């Protein structure tokens, strides 16, 4: 039985961090991108995501992206704004700084909603801000968010196992998984 192929949004934070050094963050992001390349999954990019990658990518990430494009595993989508999400952000963000931060990266969520609802990002602050809005916006609840830098998330193992959409990876359950991990670490 073959694994399902997913359309996956990868934030420029991963592209920026995936360098050729032995630094743990660089190595984690690089290893994840290599595991992605070994899978059959598709990279999703809108014009906005592509521009962010071009601006922030490392030399390694640039070569990696070009390889993905050459292997016809890039899905280009339109930048579509989801009014319900943007209204929720405008109305329920805790303050203007948080609202600006979310709006700066909401295009990742909008791209994920158009595809298989999966985001790979190193940005835990954004993840927490979005988690805090899940009770106000149903579109956010099922977004799977994986951070390749957090060892407890086992991002490489996750992609090698076919990208299961486990509940604890969804934005709605993010704080539950953090609490469970914290509890395991203290046992």
């Amino acid at each position: 039985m073959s694994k399902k192929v997913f359309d996956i949004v990868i934030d420029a934070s991963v592209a920026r961090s995936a360098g050729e050094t032995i630094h743990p963050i660089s190595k984690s992001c690089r290893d994840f991108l290599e595991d992605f390349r070994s899978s059959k999954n598709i990279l999703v990019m809108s014009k906005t995501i592509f521009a962010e990658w071009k601006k922030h990518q490392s030399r390694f990430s640039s070569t990696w992206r070009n390889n993905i494009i050459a292997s016809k595993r890039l899905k280009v989508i339109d930048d579509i704004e989801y009014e319900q999400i943007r209204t929720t952000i405008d109305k329920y963000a805790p303050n203007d700084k948080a609202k600006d931060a979310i709006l700066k990266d909401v295009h990742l969520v909008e791209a994920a909603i158009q595809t298989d609802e999966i985001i790979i990002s190193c940005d835990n602050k954004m993840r927490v801000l979005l988690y805090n809005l899940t009770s106000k916006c149903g579109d956010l609840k099922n977004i799977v968010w994986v951070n390749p830098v957090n060892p407890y998330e086992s991002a490489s193992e996750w992609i090698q196992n076919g990208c299961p959409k486990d509940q604890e990876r969804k934005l709605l359950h993010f704080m539950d998984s953090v609490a469970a991990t914290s509890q395991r670490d203290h046992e």
Side-chain angles (χ1 to χ4, degrees):
M1 185 166 124
S2 64
K3 294 178 186 170
K4 183 175 178 352
V5 173
F6 289 99
D7 295 338
I8 299 177
V9 175
I10 301 179
D11 185 16
S13 64
V14 176
R16 177 180 50 245
S17 298
E20 296 172 357
T21 70
I22 59 169
H23 189 278
I25 291 174
S26 178
K27 182 176 180 349
S28 295
C29 290
R30 185 177 62 247
D31 288 351
F32 178 82
L33 291 178
E34 289 294 359
D35 289 329
F36 183 99
R37 184 179 4 214
S38 296
S39 76
K40 295 194 182 321
N41 294 303
I42 306 298
L43 175 64
V44 174
M45 287 191 161
S46 64
K47 284 184 180 181
T48 304
I49 295 169
F50 190 81
E52 285 186 340
W53 266 67
K54 279 196 80 83
K55 182 177 180 182
H56 298 294
Q57 69 191 358
S58 67
R59 184 173 38 236
F60 172 85
S61 298
S62 175
T63 301
W64 178 88
R65 181 180 44 86
N66 289 335
N67 180 274
I68 293 295
I69 292 169
S71 62
K72 299 188 183 340
R73 292 178 44 213
L74 175 67
K75 181 178 203 170
V76 179
I77 62 171
D78 292 330
D79 282 304
I80 296 176
E81 293 184 2
Y82 285 81
E83 196 58 40
Q84 180 186 3
I85 294 171
R86 289 173 180 263
T87 300
T88 301
I89 294 165
D90 190 52
K91 190 173 182 179
Y92 296 106
N95 54 53
D96 287 342
K97 184 178 178 183
K99 179 170 44 173
D100 291 345
I102 299 168
L103 289 173
K104 179 182 144 310
D105 281 339
V106 73
H107 61 277
L108 298 171
V109 172
E110 292 166 334
I113 288 172
Q114 290 181 64
T115 57
D116 287 320
E117 298 183 308
I118 300 172
I119 298 173
I120 310 301
S121 176
C122 300
D123 191 348
N124 278 334
K125 289 180 184 175
M126 175 70 164
R127 188 184 206 176
V128 170
L129 289 170
L130 290 169
Y131 161 79
N132 288 328
L133 296 175
T134 58
S135 65
K136 307 294 185 195
C137 183
D139 288 337
L140 299 175
K141 292 178 180 181
N142 291 318
I143 299 287
V144 171
W145 190 291
V146 178
N147 185 335
V149 174
N150 293 341
Y152 68 88
E153 293 191 45
S154 306
S156 288
E157 182 179 311
W158 171 79
I159 201 161
Q160 291 167 6
N161 289 331
C163 309
K165 290 188 170 187
D166 304 318
Q167 290 300 313
E168 66 270 9
R169 294 193 186 277
K170 294 181 179 180
L171 282 177
L172 177 63
H173 299 288
F174 172 60
M175 294 310 270
D176 298 337
S177 65
V178 169
T181 301
S182 178
Q183 184 177 3
R184 280 194 307 268
D185 291 346
H186 294 306
E187 290 178 348

